[in-house]
Amino acid sequence: MALLSIRDLVKGYPSEWGGLVDVVNVAAFELQPGEQVLLQGESGSGKSTLLNLIAGILVADSGEIVLSGENISSLSESARDTHRARSLGYVFQNFNLLNGYSCLENVELGMSFGAGADREYALQLLARVGLANRHNYRPDQLSQGQKQRVAIARALANRPKLVLADEPTGNLDVKNSLMVFESLTRLAKEKGQAVLIVTHNPELANKCDRILRMRDGLFID
Ligand code: ADP
Ligand code: MG
């Protein structure tokens, strides 16, 4: 069974000229367990909106999103929040780490809606992204690449079946982009977690199972 299954998904916003424009219009899409898919498309093509719909941060106008057998389109807002915290990891371009907390605490906070804090697993994840000696540092004491590796450890902390990453390497140089990308894909592969990654970096294109391209809300070939 597919891990994620999308059907006739539509999300529109008011256009500059009045009326609604479909920002996302996806007829059918399936993601298999453990699959690693790259999502590409020009700025404004609807990539972030699609990820936010899958995460249940945004609500679609119509259509269906089924994740791990649960139809998230039919959940209440609080049920979607719980579902997201338990079943999904999310990596953002701007890291979204809490600077008042250590790296270890940031990863543990990622666990708080799931099975609960598991310090040993948090330390293990931080070690696996190359930050074994940095777990007591605060995020603002780290480089951009290191921050994003903390965010990856946090995204994986609840053992989600699916990790969404929205331009996770967008703020990084080439060397750090590669390191972050490989930290994410290697760890996810090892743990059987599927990944949907938005990236513009052409060097990363051949490192995934499949590439999807979006234009004006549609998947194109
Ligand atoms: P991408 O991530 O591919 O750059 P987005 O999903 O962020 O694209 O945005 C797709 C389109 O939807 C853009 O034209 C954007 O202006 C529009 N859009 C996104 N969010 C909103 C919103 N809250 N209100 C109105 N339009 C929006
Ligand atoms: Mg975007």
Side-chain angles (χ1 to χ4, degrees):
M1 197 179 78
L3 170 67
L4 172 70
S5 169
I6 291 178
R7 221 153 4 110
D8 299 324
L9 186 70
V10 176
K11 175 75 177 171
Y13 283 119
S15 78
E16 292 164 65
W17 304 278
L20 276 182
V21 62
D22 287 352
V23 166
V24 167
N25 187 338
V26 173
F29 172 61
E30 283 197 342
L31 192 68
Q32 303 306 320
E35 202 180 8
Q36 305 200 333
V37 173
L38 213 72
L39 180 58
Q40 295 185 326
E42 282 176 20
S43 181
S45 56
K47 307 179 301 294
S48 296
T49 304
L50 176 63
L51 260 54
N52 286 333
L53 288 167
I54 295 171
I57 294 167
L58 290 174
V59 179
D61 300 333
S62 58
E64 206 177 74
I65 301 172
V66 179
L67 178 62
S68 300
E70 181 113 60
N71 185 350
I72 58 170
S73 337
S74 65
L75 297 177
S76 68
E77 184 167 7
S78 61
R80 286 202 312 278
D81 288 343
T82 310
H83 181 66
R84 174 166 65 254
R86 291 197 178 145
S87 332
L88 279 175
Y90 211 128
V91 183
F92 304 87
Q93 181 170 354
N94 296 320
F95 324 124
N96 285 12
L97 297 168
L98 299 176
N99 278 317
Y101 295 86
S102 71
C103 296
L104 177 60
E105 286 165 336
N106 268 274
V107 177
E108 286 181 328
L109 282 166
M111 297 166 160
S112 52
F113 281 90
D118 176 347
R119 178 150 296 184
E120 204 172 307
Y121 192 55
L123 286 168
Q124 192 189 321
L125 285 171
L126 283 169
R128 292 300 312 282
V129 298
L131 295 171
N133 301 321
R134 294 285 188 276
H135 60 82
N136 281 326
Y137 284 48
R138 288 195 321 274
D140 58 12
Q141 297 172 310
L142 301 178
S143 73
Q144 304 292 88
Q146 289 170 330
K147 280 183 208 174
Q148 195 59 301
R149 284 184 276 139
V150 175
I152 287 167
R154 180 186 57 184
L156 301 189
N158 261 344
R159 298 179 165 90
K161 293 269 190 298
L162 173 60
V163 181
L164 304 172
D166 196 354
E167 307 201 33
T169 64
N171 285 339
L172 306 177
D173 59 32
V174 174
K175 180 168 153 251
N176 278 294
S177 289
L178 205 61
M179 207 187 284
V180 157
F181 185 84
E182 284 182 342
S183 296
L184 174 57
T185 50
R186 186 169 32 83
L187 258 185
K189 178 148 283 174
E190 184 183 300
K191 302 190 180 297
Q193 293 158 323
V195 193
L196 182 56
I197 310 178
V198 175
T199 177
H200 293 294
N201 191 335
E203 289 180 47
L204 308 178
N206 60 357
K207 294 179 183 291
C208 275
D209 299 324
R210 191 150 57 106
I211 301 178
L212 282 170
R213 290 192 180 80
M214 272 186 101
R215 185 192 294 146
D216 297 335
L218 300 165
F219 284 164
I220 53 170
D221 294 324

